[in-house]
Amino acid sequence: MAFYSKDVDPVFHGAGAKPGLEIWCIEKLRLVPVPKSSIGKFYSGSAYVVLSTSVLKSGPTQHDIHYWLGNDANEVDSALASDKALELDAALGSCAVQYREVQGQETEKFLSYFKPCIIPVEGVFTTQEGALNGDTYQVTLLTCKGDHVAHVKEVPFSRSSLNHNDVFILDTASKIFLFCGCNSSIQERAKSLEVVQYIKENKHSGKCEVATIEDGKLVGDSDVGEFWSLFGGYAPIPRDSALGGPQQVDSPGKLSQIGSDSLEKDMLEKNKCYMLDCGAEVFVWMGRNTLITERKTSISAAEDFLRKQERSNGTHLTFLTEGLETSIFKSYFNSWPQTAETKLYDEGREKVAAIFKHQGYEVKELPEEDVQSYINCRGTLKVWRVNGHELSLLPASEQTKLYSGDCYIVQYTYPGTERDESLFYAWLGQGSVLEDRADAVFHMDAIVDSTRGDPVMASFLFPSPTLCAVVAQIAQNKEPLQFFLIFQTLIVYKGGVSAGYKKFVAETGVDDDTYDEKKTALFRVQGTGPENMQAIQVDHVSSSLNSSYCYILQSGTSVFTWIGNLTSSKDHDLLDRMIELINPAWQPISVREGSEPDSFWSSLGGKTEYPREKEMKKFIEDPHLFKFTCTEGKQLVMVLLLLGLVSLSGDFKVKEIYSFTQDDLTTEDVLVLDCHKEIYVWIGRHSTIKSKQEALNLGLKFLQTNILEEELSLEAPIYVVTEGHEPPFFTCFFEWDPSKANVSGSAALVKMHGNSFERKLATLKGKTSSGTAPSRNALKPRSREATPDGLRSRSSSSNGWERSFSPASTVSGSHLKFSDNYSVSSPTPVARKLFTGSSPYQDSPVIEPSSPSTNENSHQIDANETSANSLIYPYQRLTVSSTEPVSGIDVTKREAYLSEEEFAEKFGMPKGAFYKLPQWRQNKLKMAVDLF
């Protein structure tokens, strides 16, 4: 909320008190509020100030200030808007980040406030009543760029404005034409349809036709002929047509970090202002002790600098107050200290409470951590211990007892809304060896691949049914709350019983600290209630104690329960319950902190210092959504990666999606939802990522690059979530509309049909409401980002034998570059050898279908069909290394072209038996005979 001051424009009084947008415009050299009915409408002859206020989940309010300059706005109004933005910041306590926005070159953060787009109109804003537009409808040609926010810009109504790379919207009085350049992306086309819908509703009152024009389509379509007639007839668009809009230059800011020119945080003095020129973006940093007049002078100097340099309008100008530096700004400095500044809400609960109490507000304790379970926790739990190439299914009585030196696979099946859902965890013990960690993810991958559970997911519509289950990789001591809730009660012992751990102990000579009732053991008891409680064995030394917890100390025949001074009656109840679970025969001696007998300390090797202060729970920031894309050649790299022939050496780009909603989950994309304690890798059905190992690698790389400069743990939990199978603990971060979700059922078959463009086109033309699938002939986009059907089918298989996974501890770091997109290098997987001998999954469990399945897994071939195959070739011509290979066959099914006799000779079984095997095992057998 704005503070009252004689230096603050009265129009700002009360600004920022409520979440949402507030907009002001310069009119006759004064600032006037823009009515809510006009929010999102910008005049090219005016200058605006925009305030975005949001209340974070952690409690505090966040403000962002933008001043928007129309292309036809005069210099006086533009300068006044800049001054007023700074004035508004001062009124808000200098706690906002300011951005300069130039018409046609707005930041994505700004555009995210006005979905689907803003379309500036000619003229000047006025508060006077009366229409500004005449009766004649003005035909306009717009170019539309962007996949998650739309950059809409009017271009001359001329054939020369068209090109093959962009999407164009031609708005006429009776019809809206969407022209898609042959090189435009599917996501851009889909986003442009939202703009078309916006124009139809706002300029045509929903009463006009919509036509889609495919670049290069000339024959048999009346809409095509009508479109080109508006340009005076058809003429080819030159192939070398320049890309529309100004091209941003590479940022030279990183060059200043080389040698003596490297940037350090200590260079920034509190009583001065600085400008950091990064080419495509310029920052003005203002120290906390600078006056508002000094800040105005600095901003004016920066704007004047850009004018004299004749910089492109696409150069973004951002103004930062000390303590509010963005992640991008900090990335240009060497090792920006994490403790350099402290946000108000992190300065301590007591201080904040005192401030609010002084202001007359009722002060309450911060709420305890949200222990809500978003899924049914009365489902079926199965746990396997990883033992090299083998899995050991634990009996029900032992599945809540894990060892920190081992790794485990957890399968949890629970009733969903319309079907049973499955959740898989690969739990990596803190003391587990690298081999077991890699095996754990491999085993989880193979188990999921062997399932055929959901008949809808296995239908021909979806190329990758193996991703239907939600999988997660978690490390000990970094478990998400949901993991504990499905176990309800969990005991974690030290040491391990797997062959890999025992071998490690024998080879290194370290002490085997595997739990033994005859040894001294110390357990920390934690949790929130009977359905969420754990006993974790810790080092049996006094420094392991903490006044915020209760402990169980087992020493020979003596058992102590230690109660910390800061614990509650709830903690004491959990302590009693855990004693019963670990060993009901124990008769413990209860010890209060401060009254311990000497025998207690001697069992811990003597008394030393330990934490005695209340553990303050940190506020959790709001989640951030990022788009993850890889560079050119990604298809080939991914295929070779699956085959284990190359490591993933290409680069990736990470771009934040601001003000994200459920609609930003685009089927062609791979998205990362950063929830700070854990991350979710969301995989669209039409994305290039087709295996869980690929998705986990991306998640690991995201953790490593530390995009938000928040020091994410490399062992933070990583969930892999697929489109159509989003669990409630993922959807809770969105305002989730089940009618939009791609869930199972006949309606979903319609919605899931086609890419994002085809889906939105069907919605726009009202076809989904009638239950009719959109026509493939409506528009068949050809895009550089589109995945050819043939390659998709070949790369979609998630093979059980692939070993591209690299645990977090082994992923090597590489260069990270910030610009408009965050550019990162991909992880280097650990090379793994293939299985030898019999498979550990011959009798592996699978997810049982909730209803009878009428479709086989889409990766498998019907045995009758293959046996009747009329195309038969000799084995020598079908092998991968053949010197005279057969052309025109499906190379993913080479074995199908063998005769029955030769097939049985090579595989030792008939085709019918072969195709009943799990997909991973088929691939392994095909590799052995050089057919894969």
Side-chain angles (χ1 to χ4, degrees), residues 393-415:
L393 178 63
L394 302 183
S397 60
E398 297 295 321
Q399 65 185 10
T400 59
K401 300 175 182 179
L402 309 182
Y403 286 85
S404 62
D406 294 337
C407 296
Y408 297 82
I409 305 301
V410 177
Q411 176 187 349
Y412 181 68
T413 305
Y414 60 96

Side-chain angles (χ1 to χ4, degrees), residues 48-51 64-68 99 101 107 109-110 113:
Y48 296 77
V49 175
V50 178
L51 170 64
D64 289 288
I65 300 172
H66 307 255
Y67 63 95
W68 185 90
Y99 304 85
E101 308 286 351
T107 63
K109 187 179 186 70
F110 179 79
Y113 306 145

Side-chain angles (χ1 to χ4, degrees), residues 344 347-365:
L344 175 64
E347 291 181 349
R349 195 180 307 184
E350 296 180 0
K351 182 177 179 180
V352 175
I355 293 174
F356 281 99
K357 187 174 182 179
H358 178 72
Q359 295 177 350
Y361 293 97
E362 181 182 0
V363 180
K364 297 181 180 180
E365 279 289 311

Side-chain angles (χ1 to χ4, degrees), residues 420 452-455 846-853:
D420 284 351
R452 305 177 188 177
D454 190 353
V846 298
I847 303 175
E848 294 298 332
S850 55
S851 59
S853 174

Side-chain angles (χ1 to χ4, degrees), residues 498-528:
S498 70
Y501 179 80
K502 295 300 184 183
K503 180 181 178 182
F504 168 77
V505 170
E507 291 179 349
T508 59
V510 299
D511 293 335
D512 186 355
D513 57 357
T514 302
Y515 174 74
D516 187 332
E517 290 186 356
K518 299 179 182 179
K519 298 180 181 179
T520 301
L522 180 65
F523 295 88
R524 182 181 70 244
V525 178
Q526 61 188 38
T528 58

Side-chain angles (χ1 to χ4, degrees), residues 288-301:
R288 277 284 180 185
N289 297 339
T290 54
L291 302 175
I292 190 171
T293 53
E294 295 174 316
R295 299 184 183 190
K296 286 184 177 181
T297 301
S298 300
I299 292 174
S300 297

Side-chain angles (χ1 to χ4, degrees), residues 254 331 705-707 709 814-818 822-825:
K254 285 291 184 181
S331 72
T705 53
N706 193 21
I707 298 297
E709 300 287 332
S814 55
H815 178 66
L816 170 65
K817 178 181 178 182
F818 282 87
Y822 309 94
S823 179
V824 302
S825 296

